[in-house]
Amino acid sequence: MKHSFTRRALGVTAAALVTLAVSSGPPAGAADTPYDVLVFSKTAGFRHDSIPAGIQMIRELGAANSFTVTATEDANQFSTTNLAQYETVVFLNTTGDVLNATQQGAFESYVRGGGGYVGIHSASDTEYDWPFYGELVGAYFASHPAIQQATVRVENRAHQATQHLSPAWTRTDEWYNYRSNVRSSARVLATLDESTYSGGSMGADHPHTWCKTVQSGRSFYTGSGHTQASYTETGFRSMILGGIRYAANRTKADCRPETGYTALYNGSTTGWSQAGPGSFTNSDGTLTSTGGMGMLWYSAKEFRSYSLKLDWRMPGDDNSGVIVGFPAGSDPNTALNQGHEVQIDATDTADKTTGAVYGFKAADIAARDAALNPPGEWNTFELLVEGERLQVFLNGVKVNDFTNTDPVRSLASGHIGIQNHGTGDDVSFRNIRIKELGGSVPRTGPITGPGGKCADVNGGSTADGTKIQLWTCDNSTKQQWTVNGNTLRAFNKCMNVAGGSTANGAQVQLSTCNGSGAQNWAPGANGSLVNSQSGKCLDANGASTANGTQLIIWTCHGGTNQRWTLP
């Protein structure tokens, strides 16, 4: 945002979500810097009659999109000197062993050094005995049923190869089964729905199109492209163009493997609420801001320790942001005063530009500029929140690493939201998803709280009933706590409410672990730790930050003396 909420008057009446049709398409992006593509279609096995149509399609794409095409079946083109002139190499329906050892070495060096690879259809039926090629293509061909119609499920609509597609894409082709599932090593862009055709053998997770990195190089593969008709289809042609542009490093994408995320928004706004004026249109699995200044926030749940990913696009010089770590409420002023905004606005100053933690820490501008797609193209954010640390990744590249030290704010727990900045600031969002990182694996370290001080076992004593207090952090063993399930342990004993009391002011002490509710603690609102037996919060007595302040339980109120960061 260009202006904080506190510098512009807002109404706080919630605005209803509006569902409208999206525009006919994204704004046209700037032309790519010209580049060169080598199309390789040598076969040592089955030969597809669609190869000429494929070459013609890529030539036409090149003529319209700033790249020249050299088509060859001469493996001698795979020399270090010759490959150096190309930004990417397309393996178009290759089959069998098509390169000798010297040529393989040249191509491997080319890719690992930053070159691009695009594999179409039977490119996965190629070079089975060359380990690097297996790594590059991602998965080898296993079998296929007869040509038939099927539905492709598009799960990543931010990549330039798939951003133009609907979530369900129905077409006719020859559908490959693969010898392995590529999901653990590549970003799957689309899968096959085996319930929509006969002969699939991979089950519910059948990757069909994907991208990945191989050291400094980039790889894109799709199983489509058997039939001659494929190469005349608008959707397929746009997909191949996006794959070529990615492999040639003309557009950026987060192609790291991705598993374990839960959708917060992928078409449905259930669980979301509008705060402040303006709204978001909701169409085609896309939220687009309108009016403002307001915020759409996920009110169904607050989060701590998570990876939040979302895709966003600006049509021009627009403005928005992603807000994290704020308490529940319908006033967006509170969200910015008690949370942090990761900015979306590439034209503002360093501490208020895309990737910046607004007003607190500038983005790494060189890294940001190298990772950022221009207006009209989709970008992907990952916001990795661990305690008070926030790392920002843009299209898979880290552009910011920020640790909150403001006692008024806490990243350790809170809600997430997206901003609608105002009229004319039209930013779109897709595929908002989250992976919570808590898990059951024990974590050990200090528990920091009010005044930046630590939960401390008085004198380092291991006796039952030892006072737990606030003290200057010193990294000593008496300040090392292990989060183990719902217990907080030091010296292999548990943080305990004295006598199992539920009264305000009951003291917190060290005691032998016994599994009682007095020793169970759970993350609460706004960075609090809630004792499960009493429903009350861990509290620094009297809101003091002095060394020796007794920790107690007290009715939860969201104050700074009830905010804690776990290891």
Side-chain angles (χ1 to χ4, degrees):
M1 67 176 189
K2 289 191 175 76
H3 307 283
S4 75
F5 284 117
T6 56
R7 283 177 277 161
R8 183 179 291 192
L10 286 180
V12 295
T13 303
L17 285 168
V18 181
T19 303
L20 299 172
V22 296
S23 62
S24 59
D32 290 333
T33 303
Y35 59 103
D36 299 289
V37 173
L38 179 66
V39 177
F40 185 54
S41 55
K42 181 179 178 180
T43 56
F46 181 84
R47 186 169 182 85
H48 287 75
D49 63 7
S50 60
I51 288 174
I55 294 171
Q56 180 62 27
M57 179 198 74
I58 297 171
R59 289 192 187 280
E60 291 170 358
L61 292 175
N65 293 280
S66 303
F67 64 87
T68 60
V69 175
T70 300
T72 187
E73 298 199 356
D74 180 6
N76 290 318
Q77 296 287 314
F78 284 75
S79 67
T80 300
T81 301
N82 190 60
L83 289 172
Q85 66 184 300
Y86 299 105
E87 275 73 9
T88 196
V89 178
V90 179
F91 276 49
L92 172 63
N93 279 327
T94 53
T95 54
D97 295 330
V98 291
L99 300 178
N100 65 29
T102 300
Q103 294 156 357
Q104 290 175 353
F107 187 53
E108 179 173 349
S109 295
Y110 163 80
V111 173
R112 292 193 186 278
Y117 163 86
V118 172
I120 298 176
H121 194 55
S122 66
S124 62
D125 189 24
T126 302
E127 295 288 355
Y128 289 94
D129 298 322
W130 181 16
F132 169 75
Y133 189 81
E135 177 188 5
L136 181 65
V137 70
Y140 284 118
F141 164 80
S143 64
H144 66 77
I147 296 171
Q148 59 193 292
Q149 187 179 89
T151 298
V152 178
R153 303 292 179 188
V154 182
E155 66 178 68
N156 182 321
R157 300 172 69 214
H159 196 289
Q160 280 294 295
T162 48
Q163 58 88 27
H164 61 288
L165 298 173
S166 296
W169 183 29
T170 301
R171 56 182 303 274
T172 297
D173 213 322
E174 181 181 76
W175 306 110
Y176 276 9
N177 300 307
Y178 300 95
R179 298 184 182 185
S180 61
N181 190 311
V182 76
R183 191 173 292 277
S184 64
S185 64
R187 178 65 169 106
V188 175
L189 306 179
T191 60
L192 288 176
D193 184 343
E194 291 191 356
S195 71
T196 65
Y197 72 103
S198 300
S201 66
M202 297 184 70
D205 185 20
H206 186 151
H208 176 68
T209 299
W210 55 79
C211 63
K212 63 186 302 187
T213 57
V214 180
Q215 287 184 276
S216 297
R218 295 156 305 283
S219 169
F220 171 87
Y221 171 83
T222 182
S224 291
H226 174 87
T227 66
Q228 294 182 39
S230 296
Y231 297 91
T232 65
E233 296 175 21
T234 300
F236 179 79
R237 291 168 68 96
S238 294
M239 182 175 69
I240 298 302
L241 174 61
I244 290 173
R245 292 188 65 231
Y246 164 73
N249 205 25
R250 291 309 190 267
T251 188
K252 314 297 181 179
D254 187 350
C255 287
R256 297 174 296 169
E258 182 176 306
T259 58
Y261 284 78
T262 299
L264 299 183
Y265 169 80
N266 207 6
S268 170
T269 56
T270 300
W272 293 82
S273 301
Q274 178 71 32
S279 61
F280 284 80
T281 64
N282 180 22
S283 181
D284 189 35
T286 305
L287 293 166
T288 301
S289 64
T290 177
M293 189 186 284
M295 175 184 68
L296 184 67
W297 64 291
Y298 192 70
S299 54
K301 184 178 180 180
E302 62 178 22
F303 300 99
R304 61 189 304 154
S305 188
Y306 56 86
S307 167
L308 173 70
K309 290 189 177 183
L310 48 82
D311 307 326
W312 57 268
R313 184 185 70 194
M314 300 188 302
D317 179 11
D318 296 283
N319 188 293
S320 185
V322 184
I323 309 166
V324 295
F326 58 91
S330 61
D331 184 355
N333 280 293
T334 302
L336 282 193
N337 290 338
Q338 296 188 21
H340 285 287
E341 180 188 5
V342 178
Q343 176 71 335
I344 298 173
D345 180 359
T347 64
D348 213 328
T349 57
D351 65 335
K352 299 172 184 176
T353 189
T354 299
V357 179
Y358 186 87
F360 283 85
K361 187 171 183 180
D364 179 333
I365 298 300
R368 194 285 308 274
D369 287 350
L372 180 66
N373 285 324
E377 295 188 16
W378 287 90
N379 291 273
T380 298
F381 263 162
E382 179 189 10
L383 309 186
L384 180 59
V385 175
E386 297 173 290
E388 294 294 345
R389 184 184 183 191
L390 166 61
Q391 298 176 74
V392 180
F393 296 82
L394 174 63
N395 295 323
V397 176
K398 185 190 287 191
V399 298
N400 211 331
D401 193 338
F402 166 73
T403 299
N404 174 61
T405 58
D406 184 347
V408 177
R409 306 168 191 259
S410 178
L411 287 164
S413 180
H415 292 270
I416 65 102
I418 55 176
Q419 184 187 63
N420 55 304
H421 186 268
T423 301
D425 285 319
D426 308 314
V427 179
S428 297
F429 296 87
R430 280 179 173 171
N431 194 16
I432 305 175
R433 65 260 193 212
I434 199 163
K435 179 194 285 188
E436 296 183 80
L437 305 176
S440 58
V441 178
R443 312 185 308 277
T444 299
I447 298 174
T448 55
K453 294 189 174 181
C454 284
D456 178 283
V457 179
N458 186 27
S461 172
T462 61
D464 282 0
T466 298
K467 171 185 177 183
I468 297 177
Q469 61 190 359
L470 207 62
W471 201 270
T472 302
C473 298
D474 57 19
N475 203 35
S476 65
T477 56
K478 60 191 177 72
Q479 295 179 358
Q480 295 299 301
W481 295 89
T482 297
V483 182
N484 192 338
N486 290 325
T487 64
L488 305 174
R489 304 186 182 212
F491 302 114
N492 205 31
K493 292 193 173 182
C494 282
M495 183 181 289
N496 177 78
V497 180
S501 175
T502 61
N504 278 346
Q507 295 185 352
V508 175
Q509 57 186 213
L510 197 69
S511 187
T512 299
C513 298
N514 58 26
S516 70
Q519 297 179 353
N520 285 346
W521 304 87
N526 204 28
S528 62
L529 280 172
V530 180
N531 176 252
S532 64
Q533 180 165 283
S534 63
K536 294 182 176 178
C537 284
L538 183 66
D539 181 291
N541 192 19
S544 173
T545 60
N547 282 346
T549 298
Q550 172 74 56
L551 300 192
I552 61 173
I553 58 168
W554 197 272
T555 302
C556 299
H557 52 64
T560 57
N561 65 317
Q562 293 185 351
R563 295 185 183 179
W564 307 91
T565 300
L566 295 175

